[in-house]
Amino acid sequence: MNRATAKHLIERYFRQLTEGCGNGNCTNEFCASCCDFQPLDNNAAAAKALELFKINAKLCDPHPSKTESNLSPDKNTELDSKMSNTDLFPPKDDFSDVHYLTENTVCMILSFCEEEGDYSALIRIIGRVFSNAEALVKSFRKDEQNATDNIESLTPEDVDKHEKQSQGTSETMGAASQAALSVEPPGNEMFDPCDVTVDIGAVRRVYDKLLTISQVESALVNALVYLTPNIELDLEYLDVYETNPDYLNIFIIVMENTNLHSPEYLEVALAQFCKAMTKLPVTALSRLSKLWSTYSLPHLRRMMETFQQLITFTVISNEYDTENLVNDDETVVAATQCLKVVFYASILGGDVDREHNEEEEEDSESDELTLHELLGEERLYKKGPQVDPLEKELGVRPLDSIRPLIPFDDFVNEPLNDVVEMDKDFTFFKVNAETKFSFQSCPFILSIITKSQGLYYDNRIRMYSERRLTALYSMVQGQQPNPYLKLKVRRDHIIDDALVRLEMISMENPSDLKKQLFVEFEGEQGVDEGGVSKEFFQLVLEEIFNPDIGMFTYDDNTKLFWFNSSSLENEAQYNLIGIVLGLAIYNNCILDVHFPMVVYRKLMGKKGTYLDLSDSHPVLYQSLKGLLEYTGNVEEDMMLTFQISHTDLFGNPVFYDLKEQGDQLPVTKDNRQEFVDLYADYILNKSVERQFRAFKKGFLMVTNESPLKYLFRPEQVELLICGSRKLDFEELEKTTEYDGGYSKDTQIIKDFWETIHSFGDEQKRLFLQFTTGTDRAPVGGLGKLKMIIAKNGSDTDRLPTSHTCFNALLLPEYSSKEKLRERLLKAITYAKGFGML
């Protein structure tokens, strides 16, 4: 639409609002002749006229009773009586002056095309604008309405200089019509990260109209294919974002297309777009993430699913192996990096706690060269978790998330996890991070099973490294090499023996804790291939968590342990349990530990808060929640002060002031939130500070150089340490292997599985403990446990035996199902200790 036509239409709306159409029975709510119309002054009518023009509102025809003298005697009046629909919607050639789009422009062109029954003009304009970066940057601006201010002197030749306030009504209307179509919005020099210049609502409404037309869909796909290589070059070599932050508008507008996940885009267009998006600087990606965090859940989820769809489509359309790695697929890598922006938007848009962080213990750096550095391996063994640049720019971590908009598990892409070669990916992550992409740099997309494989490689390489260093040191010093962390303990004095040995190691040479664990029980013949270590951990935990020792308190309702703030044990005992937890992760052992989630959050660096009380101290949590929700007079009805009390180890009351002179400060409606926060801080942090600091110190002695904190969330760390209590023996049966003449079709094997499936939960756990050394399933469930059942002779009265190191069950070929059940139950019920068979 040309400027003269737009100007004339706006002026018609203005006269309709101020003078009416002359029809006394008019029902148009936007006409002054309507009986329900509220009169407007000239300024209000001018603004309203522009608004009606944008939405293509109803325009009344002049009523015959309205005489010429009542109309403005200018050229526009004459034009009014002569204009036809063809004049209002000129031929398609006149759209050549549309250099960028507004919602109103699209609506007008769409109306013209619908009337003509030909969408070629619309398709041509959409293709032209959406394939041109400069045109798209200027399109759908928020400021197109504000651009009508101070525009008395606007001319077609000088439309972007606004100097004087509009005076006359006709001047205002003429300027407005020109501004609506041709004013180039000014650049946004000073901008807030979320203060983008795109009118997102207008973009969505335009897409709603356009995407119903199949020809337009093709034009958008082709335009995106043409656009993306150009913006990729602009971003990579011309640094266009630094000179014009509004360049981000392109990505905002394109991502509002709700059909991006369709096959037409997945083949080429979306893949190219993702590659271009990865060229944006971190500041731009941060701005994009902050903007998307303000979106509603359906819009954010749609974008997440768009990138996930591209990753899945690409993965299943290609074949990957050790030579052709998925890490080298540019489309998958780019889509994963784009998905990261949505991931952090989901965190920012949900409930976040950026405060309440534990103080990090800084390692003392030495100026001396380490042996790793002398061997040129310092990159492989660099300390400390990596920090993602986008995470640093946003100032938020996954650990800070209380509840994201989109659940974390929805970001995991299973088809991708199936094809990632974690041994290669680990090498890229640790050594070639600058030149090769590692999916561990985007851990949100990896399942806990895949990440645990990466952690396994990290742990094993450190073990081999310590073994090699020990050999080098022994050669230099002429001593007997000791490549393992050897613990020789007495079964009846396991805590004393383990505590003394581990305390000596932690003081003399903490790096020995990173050697492979090798446990020997005094007086027993078992050789530790993993099974003896499992029993060592079990016995240590049984002893330490014994309520009679008093290191931990036990809640009968939650079945969870918590640190005893009144414990008389020294810090070395807590240090030991921290080391044991670290060693369990390091040596890939599962422990029967029952801690609330807040323990793992604190280990990862967050302090406990009021919300954490829900599982660690549920009774107290309900009491404090009741206080916060109480609608009566808190001070008079509750009669609480900022002094609290609890009982010590001997049942004596212990008083503690949450604030200075707390017994004199009543809890009121105004300060009850502060009371609750201080109470939770005392229970979860201050009261157990000594015990937990020693516990965490022991844990970090083993894991301080591990990527554990970078890769895993607190709930995943719990799963690594404790395994899963969900036992699916159907999955175990599917993955079990047979040896010595047995197969899944052997009668004794059929009887065996029928017997196992008939067991109760407790008997199943005993069997798992007997066979594998733990009654928990590993990460991924029992289907990931490779159990072997081997034939151990013909019918006999001997009991079944097991190699817990190898998850192997040695099963004689009993003569009946009843005898099999009796022998197996006796074996799993009374099993303890190791011997040589």
Side-chain angles (χ1 to χ4, degrees), residues 437-456:
F437 177 81
S438 166
F439 288 99
Q440 289 180 82
S441 65
C442 297
F444 58 84
I445 204 170
L446 299 177
S447 67
I448 185 172
I449 301 171
T450 307
K451 287 191 282 190
S452 64
Q453 291 174 359
L455 184 66
Y456 174 81

Side-chain angles (χ1 to χ4, degrees), residues 508-523:
E508 295 176 2
N509 192 8
S511 63
D512 279 0
L513 293 172
K514 296 182 176 65
K515 293 178 179 178
Q516 185 173 350
L517 181 64
F518 190 94
V519 178
E520 180 183 347
F521 284 105
E522 192 172 276

Side-chain angles (χ1 to χ4, degrees), residues 69-251:
S69 60
N70 292 335
L71 299 175
S72 300
D74 56 19
K75 295 179 181 179
N76 291 326
T77 305
E78 183 181 351
L79 180 63
D80 208 13
S81 62
K82 296 180 180 179
M83 286 189 79
S84 64
N85 284 339
T86 306
D87 296 318
L88 292 176
F89 303 102
K92 62 188 77 175
D93 293 341
D94 284 357
F95 292 123
S96 59
D97 62 344
V98 176
H99 302 300
Y100 62 92
L101 295 175
T102 65
E103 182 182 11
N104 183 66
T105 309
V106 173
C107 290
M108 290 299 174
I109 298 171
L110 189 57
S111 297
F112 167 76
C113 292
E114 287 173 349
E115 185 170 319
E116 292 290 317
D118 180 8
Y119 291 100
S120 58
L122 179 63
I123 293 168
R124 188 168 61 253
I125 293 168
I126 293 295
R128 185 168 71 239
V129 173
F130 274 80
S131 63
N132 184 285
E134 185 179 355
L136 208 52
V137 167
K138 295 175 183 176
S139 296
F140 308 109
R141 290 296 189 105
K142 283 180 184 176
D143 49 12
E144 67 176 274
Q145 182 168 348
N146 296 332
T148 63
D149 297 334
N150 301 321
I151 48 179
E152 181 190 12
S153 60
L154 277 177
T155 64
E157 292 75 24
D158 190 18
V159 293
D160 55 353
K161 295 180 181 178
H162 311 299
E163 298 176 355
K164 298 180 181 179
Q165 180 66 32
S166 172
Q167 299 281 330
T169 300
S170 64
E171 289 177 344
T172 303
M173 300 323 317
S177 63
Q178 292 181 37
L181 292 173
S182 54
V183 171
E184 295 190 6
N188 201 0
E189 295 176 3
M190 299 296 293
F191 61 89
D192 182 82
C194 279
D195 187 19
V196 295
T197 55
V198 178
D199 186 343
I200 297 170
V203 174
R204 289 173 181 171
R205 290 190 294 271
V206 166
Y207 273 124
D208 286 342
K209 292 181 174 69
L210 296 181
L211 294 178
T212 59
I213 307 168
S214 58
Q215 303 97 307
V216 173
E217 179 83 55
S218 300
L220 286 169
V221 174
N222 294 332
L224 192 57
V225 171
Y226 185 83
L227 171 72
T228 46
N230 294 326
I231 60 176
E232 185 175 353
L233 292 173
D234 285 350
L235 289 167
E236 189 165 11
Y237 298 108
L238 301 181
D239 297 329
V240 289
Y241 178 79
E242 282 73 12
T243 56
N244 181 18
D246 283 343
Y247 205 82
L248 195 65
N249 292 3
I250 296 172
F251 298 91

